[in-house]
Amino acid sequence: MSTFFLFLLLFIFTISNPPPSFAEQTLSFSVSNSPWTPQSNLTLLSPNSHFAAGFRPLPSSPNLFNFSIWFRSTSAPNVVWSTNPPLGPSATLSITSTGALHLSNSSSGQNLLPGNTSAARNTTQLKLRNDGNLFYGAWDSFAFPTDTVLPNQSMEGNITLVSKNGKFRFTNSTKLVFNLTEQYQDLTDAFKNLDFDGKMTQANGKSFIVSDFGLNRSRRLTLDNDGNLRIYSFDPSIADWTVVWQSGYELCQVHGTCGPNAICVSDGTSSSYDCVCPPGFQPAPGAIEDQGCQRKIPLSKNTKFLKLDYVNFTGGSNQTNWPATNFSICESRCLRRANCEGFMFKYDGKGYCVLQLDRLLYGYWSPGTETAMFLRVDGAEKDQTNFTGMTELLETTCPVQISLPLPPQESNATTRNIIIICTLFAAELISGVLFFWAFIKKYIKYRDMARTLGLEFLPAGGPKRFSYAELKAATKDFSNLIGKGGFGDVYKGELTDQRVVAVKCLKHVAGGDAEFWAEVTIIARMHHLNLVRLWGFCAEKGQRILVYEYVPNGSLDKYLFQPGRVLSTDQDSENVAPVADAEKPILDWGIRYRIALGVARSIAYLHEECLEWVLHCDIKPENILLGDDFCPKISDFGLAKLKKKEDMVSISRMQGTRGYMAPEWVKMDPITPKADVYSFGMVLLELVSGVRNNEIQGSMIESEDWYFPRWAFDKVFKEMNVEDILDRRIMHCYDSRAHFDTVNRMVKTAMWCLQDRPEMRPSMGKVAKMLEGTVDITEPKKPTIFFLTDD
Ligand SMILES: *[C@@H]1O[C@H](CO)[C@@H](O)[C@H](O)[C@H]1NC(C)=O
Ligand SMILES: *[C@@H]1O[C@H](CO)[C@@H](O)[C@H](O)[C@H]1NC(C)=O
Ligand SMILES: *[C@@H]1O[C@H](CO)[C@@H](O)[C@H](O)[C@H]1NC(C)=O
Ligand SMILES: *[C@@H]1O[C@H](CO)[C@@H](O)[C@H](O)[C@H]1NC(C)=O
Ligand SMILES: *[C@@H]1O[C@H](CO)[C@@H](O)[C@H](O)[C@H]1NC(C)=O
Ligand SMILES: *[C@@H]1O[C@H](CO)[C@@H](O)[C@H](O)[C@H]1NC(C)=O
Ligand SMILES: *[C@@H]1O[C@H](CO)[C@@H](O)[C@H](O)[C@H]1NC(C)=O
Ligand SMILES: *[C@@H]1O[C@H](CO)[C@@H](O)[C@H](O)[C@H]1NC(C)=O
Ligand SMILES: *[C@@H]1O[C@H](CO)[C@@H](O)[C@H](O)[C@H]1NC(C)=O
Ligand SMILES: *[C@@H]1O[C@H](CO)[C@@H](O)[C@H](O)[C@H]1NC(C)=O
Ligand SMILES: *[C@@H]1O[C@H](CO)[C@@H](O)[C@H](O)[C@H]1NC(C)=O
Ligand SMILES: *[C@@H]1O[C@H](CO)[C@@H](O)[C@H](O)[C@H]1NC(C)=O
């Protein structure tokens, strides 16, 4: 039996390997073997047999060859160095009479090897070192990389990598460029050397490590055909290369992803994008990635503009920023030029007005973009714009629909205020998520600016200002304490108009009354069905009090984690009886799903609707309140910004709650909206399992490095046993046919949210869609966490 398998294995091995495997193998090439031709059937091996070099036929045509170096010990695509373009059958590699190593397409052709290959003729040998470096005398292949750099290959001294398709370059060991000059990313600190453990040393004493640092693996740094620089690691357990680091993840920000005039639209995940044509344009003949789009109707004398929300065309030296105080000045500047293809305008009063002359290149759509693009089309064009803000795309239930409107009429001060405030804060977020407090100072500046523009009156329906006495009466002298939170104690009260309220007395709040008022006005403007409404505030005698709508059913944790519950990992212990709770009903699947969806939508609203400016930073079941009909409502949003400066400095790295904090809080990495996505993923798993992520007991899972998401992943995707992680209290009403789809979607979405690397996690808008089932969910990767080694 085993002999048979051995034979089978040998057989498979033999047929699956390319012709060079028949070839004679050698450790060196010298005058005595010269010349070397594709017909010599010769392969040069490194002493450790990890690398090989020689002529390799192209898969597409057996009569064309590359002279290449490749990983011999890995089974997946693996060429690390290659001559370009391919060679014909009469190519030769020889040592000339003067001792130079000479590669040519025919015996008399010019040398295709770069650099000076001269050496002593009789004594020099061509050899392949253990690290994959091919060397001959003073010449070595490491000095002339193609699209790949190997560990131990120095990148100092200005190396250039070119992607296989020739579109992208990594130059000077720092810059990523398209079409030789169009830079789209600067890695700031030049790369110097990748070591065998997976640590990249950079200039200025910087360095980073790959995600499987330390493991003894084959690795390579490659500039891929999509313009991203990635480090790959060969994972023997799946016999394939996996990405362990990459330079960027927004493919839409890579110049050249889509052709001229086209707009790149990404759904917030790292790997997918679409190139679409703007209204008034249609795909040009050929691939839209290369050829882009062309106008349906050429511009005549009579032209008009179509507004594309959140679209930025980033290409071209011919973008000119001409400060223009208002929209019509900017518009008329564009109209005056025959070669103006459109303009971008920002409503922040700073006069951002960018004309696009001659061409429209590298366009992308992203809710993080603060401007609208006004695209010039012919007057006869009938296409309507379909780039209209997140609101329509997300279809959230949101009473206030904010998108970038056309310039308001003079009388319409209210809308204008909303726009200005929103854009200002989006700008703030982008300039530094971590430094919330600097923002308070700036707000004053913006407010003064707004005042000079005659905009000091904020829209109607803002929060009411209460006096301390009013609130003291409403809460019967703060007697009915209903909660204690990180931001302060919460009391129940009743206003004179019979509205029941929750009154939150804040601790450690920065700034004077005016600043507090300004902040609260912003928070009060966030309206969403799934956000707790802020009705008013009090800023008096050093008191900082917020008045919220009262949400009757309390917070989610009270329902989800009832005492005495044990989730057993033991298959046989079916004796865990459902614990009846006299006070709290047990939430059924339908309600849990609705809670998940509502929470996802409201966080997406915070992240994306108001142009991405509010991070929650503390999503957990305690902050999810349940209203009538168990409609979930998030509380405490926007409060992270109110903290005192000194508090922020000391605790800024420790926002949030253990168990829900994304790894980047601990790793000191920048905090982005993806930190909230992680916390939400944890809540989602808890909704499914009914247990706290750090409180599961059971014989098998007491070890230090137990990690809930990893355990859940193994149960669901390895053991294929979804039922193992479901809340036992409602197992009896779990009907696998009716509920499998919902539960499966919740678990898969949670796994995507819980990825260690923020860029692997979907955006909150995408999460909401995944839960809705309006997008397909691909198989998630197993969540690991950096300080726990995986298997
Ligand atoms: C190289 O291998 C090919 C096919 O395997 C064979 O036809 C050819 O004769 C071999 N050439 C030499 C020089 O051995
Ligand atoms: C050989 O070179 C061509 C052209 O440069 C390239 O497209 C191809 O990927 C190379 N093949 C291998 C096996 O390296
Ligand atoms: C070598 O010759 C082949 C045809 O025999 C041709 O296809 C190929 O492009 C040539 N390569 C170079 C580098 O000139
Ligand atoms: C190439 O290198 C050899 C020594 O390795 C040196 O003698 C020769 O001058 C060099 N040729 C050029 C063109 O630099
Ligand atoms: C190299 O070898 C050839 C013949 O094998 C010999 O004639 C020549 O003198 C040698 N050259 C040197 C520099 O040793
Ligand atoms: C790494 O590079 C150094 C210097 O180029 C060389 O001496 C050493 O042998 C290389 N290591 C391996 C494993 O090839
Ligand atoms: C680095 O290489 C680029 C292109 O190859 C060249 O333009 C530049 O001058 C080089 N810089 C240095 C410092 O050698
Ligand atoms: C590479 O760096 C050198 C100096 O460090 C600079 O002169 C050159 O312009 C850079 N090349 C590119 C393509 O950025
Ligand atoms: C590359 O740049 C040149 C001139 O700078 C331009 O003519 C050409 O169209 C560009 N190619 C692409 C693919 O954008
Ligand atoms: C706008 O319409 C075009 C063509 O009708 C389509 O390809 C594109 O996907 C649409 N864009 C959006 C954002 O829906
Ligand atoms: C920029 O515009 C000028 C005149 O409008 C034109 O001559 C030039 O070719 C443009 N440059 C590019 C890179 O498009
Ligand atoms: C548009 O993109 C360019 C290049 O990435 C960037 O510098 C600019 O700030 C962006 N504009 C807006 C309004 O986001």
Side-chain angles (χ1 to χ4, degrees), residues 254-265:
V254 172
H255 287 176
T257 296
C258 298
N261 302 316
I263 297 173
C264 181
V265 178

Side-chain angles (χ1 to χ4, degrees), residues 674-714:
K674 299 290 177 71
D676 282 349
V677 174
Y678 181 92
S679 309
F680 175 74
M682 209 52 112
V683 172
L684 204 49
L685 267 195
E686 293 178 339
L687 270 170
V688 172
S689 66
V691 279
R692 205 64 87 185
N693 66 67
N694 54 357
E695 277 178 8
I696 297 188
Q697 300 123 36
S699 50
M700 295 150 62
I701 48 179
E702 272 162 357
S703 77
E704 271 284 290
D705 62 356
W706 190 77
Y707 183 48
F708 187 38
R710 191 167 57 178
W711 171 82
F713 182 92
D714 285 346

Side-chain angles (χ1 to χ4, degrees), residues 480-496:
N480 191 358
L481 181 71
I482 54 171
K484 280 174 178 286
F487 292 99
D489 296 343
V490 188
Y491 303 88
K492 189 175 172 183
E494 192 177 334
L495 300 178
T496 46

Side-chain angles (χ1 to χ4, degrees), residues 566-585:
V566 171
L567 181 92
S568 174
T569 50
D570 188 350
Q571 277 292 303
D572 303 326
S573 65
E574 282 297 339
N575 54 356
V576 189
V579 178
D581 185 306
E583 288 170 26
K584 304 281 184 215

Side-chain angles (χ1 to χ4, degrees), residues 506-523:
L506 301 177
K507 293 181 291 203
H508 313 299
V509 175
D513 288 0
E515 287 125 72
F516 181 67
W517 176 82
E519 279 301 319
V520 167
T521 308
I522 304 302
I523 297 172

